[in-house]
Amino acid sequence: MDADPARDVTVVVPARDAGRTLASCLDSLVAVRDAPGSRVARILLVDDGSNDDTATIARDRGIDVLETGGRGAGAARNAGIAERSEEHTSE
Protein backbone atom coordinates (compact mmCIF):
# COMPACT_ATOMS: atom_id res chain seq x y z
CA MET A 1 0.00 0.00 0.00
CA ASP A 2 1.32 3.44 -0.86
CA ALA A 3 1.80 5.53 2.24
CA ASP A 4 -0.29 8.68 2.02
CA PRO A 5 0.12 10.71 5.20
CA ALA A 6 -3.29 12.30 4.66
CA ARG A 7 -4.92 8.85 4.58
CA ASP A 8 -3.73 7.19 7.74
CA VAL A 9 -6.79 5.55 9.28
CA THR A 10 -7.61 1.85 9.20
CA VAL A 11 -11.15 0.93 10.25
CA VAL A 12 -11.23 -2.46 11.98
CA VAL A 13 -14.59 -4.25 11.90
CA PRO A 14 -14.77 -7.41 14.05
CA ALA A 15 -17.65 -9.65 12.96
CA ARG A 16 -19.07 -13.13 13.40
CA ASP A 17 -22.07 -14.41 11.46
CA ALA A 18 -22.97 -10.84 10.54
CA GLY A 19 -24.04 -11.56 6.97
CA ARG A 20 -27.62 -10.43 7.51
CA THR A 21 -26.67 -6.89 8.56
CA LEU A 22 -23.10 -6.41 7.38
CA ALA A 23 -23.69 -5.10 3.84
CA SER A 24 -25.18 -1.77 4.89
CA CYS A 25 -22.41 -1.20 7.45
CA LEU A 26 -19.66 -1.91 4.94
CA ASP A 27 -21.34 0.12 2.20
CA SER A 28 -21.37 3.12 4.55
CA LEU A 29 -17.71 2.63 5.44
CA VAL A 30 -16.74 2.34 1.76
CA ALA A 31 -18.59 5.61 1.07
CA VAL A 32 -16.63 7.30 3.86
CA ARG A 33 -13.34 5.82 2.63
CA ASP A 34 -13.98 6.95 -0.94
CA ALA A 35 -15.19 10.46 -0.05
CA PRO A 36 -12.93 13.38 -1.01
CA GLY A 37 -10.70 14.33 1.89
CA SER A 38 -11.29 11.10 3.79
CA ARG A 39 -8.44 9.93 6.01
CA VAL A 40 -9.61 6.30 5.80
CA ALA A 41 -7.04 4.33 3.84
CA ARG A 42 -8.22 0.80 4.62
CA ILE A 43 -11.16 -1.15 5.95
CA LEU A 44 -10.25 -4.45 7.60
CA LEU A 45 -12.96 -6.94 8.46
CA VAL A 46 -11.88 -9.48 11.08
CA ASP A 47 -14.06 -12.55 10.54
CA ASP A 48 -14.14 -14.33 13.89
CA GLY A 49 -15.10 -17.82 12.76
CA SER A 50 -18.32 -17.05 10.89
CA ASN A 51 -20.52 -19.86 9.55
CA ASP A 52 -22.26 -17.58 7.06
CA ASP A 53 -21.25 -15.32 4.18
CA THR A 54 -19.65 -12.58 6.31
CA ALA A 55 -16.21 -12.81 4.66
CA THR A 56 -17.68 -13.06 1.15
CA ILE A 57 -19.75 -9.91 1.65
CA ALA A 58 -16.62 -8.00 2.64
CA ARG A 59 -14.46 -9.40 -0.16
CA ASP A 60 -17.15 -8.59 -2.73
CA ARG A 61 -16.73 -4.93 -1.71
CA GLY A 62 -12.95 -5.01 -1.99
CA ILE A 63 -12.48 -5.02 1.77
CA ASP A 64 -9.52 -6.83 3.31
CA VAL A 65 -10.48 -9.83 5.44
CA LEU A 66 -8.50 -11.33 8.30
CA GLU A 67 -9.90 -14.64 9.51
CA THR A 68 -9.54 -15.67 13.14
CA GLY A 69 -10.74 -18.82 14.83
CA GLY A 70 -13.73 -17.69 16.83
CA ARG A 71 -11.94 -16.35 19.88
CA GLY A 72 -14.47 -13.59 20.60
CA ALA A 73 -15.07 -9.96 19.67
CA GLY A 74 -12.25 -8.57 21.82
CA ALA A 75 -9.69 -10.97 20.38
CA ALA A 76 -10.91 -10.22 16.84
CA ARG A 77 -10.57 -6.48 17.45
CA ASN A 78 -7.09 -6.96 18.89
CA ALA A 79 -6.06 -9.11 15.90
CA GLY A 80 -7.15 -6.33 13.56
CA ILE A 81 -5.22 -3.73 15.52
CA ALA A 82 -2.15 -5.96 15.55
CA GLU A 83 -2.45 -6.43 11.76
CA ARG A 84 -2.50 -2.67 11.27
CA SER A 85 0.37 -2.15 13.68
CA GLU A 86 2.55 -4.67 11.82
CA GLU A 87 1.69 -3.02 8.50
CA HIS A 88 2.46 0.41 9.87
CA THR A 89 5.87 -0.57 11.23
CA SER A 90 6.89 -2.14 7.91
CA GLU A 91 6.17 1.03 5.90
Side-chain angles (χ1 to χ4, degrees):
M1 176 186 346
D2 292 331
D4 179 349
R7 295 176 63 90
D8 60 354
V9 174
T10 295
V11 177
V12 176
V13 181
R16 178 191 280 171
D17 296 327
R20 195 177 53 115
T21 58
L22 186 63
S24 62
C25 171
L26 296 180
D27 289 344
S28 294
L29 288 172
V30 167
V32 169
R33 181 195 64 199
D34 295 346
S38 174
R39 293 185 60 187
V40 176
R42 181 181 185 206
I43 303 166
L44 175 63
L45 179 106
V46 184
D47 182 3
D48 190 42
S50 293
N51 294 309
D52 67 0
D53 57 349
T54 294
T56 300
I57 290 168
R59 287 187 183 107
D60 286 350
R61 286 162 173 75
I63 294 171
D64 296 331
V65 175
L66 174 64
E67 296 189 30
T68 59
R71 298 177 292 160
R77 179 202 61 229
N78 292 344
I81 292 168
E83 168 83 9
R84 173 59 184 141
S85 295
E86 290 173 14
E87 174 187 304
H88 186 68
T89 57
S90 67
E91 291 177 349

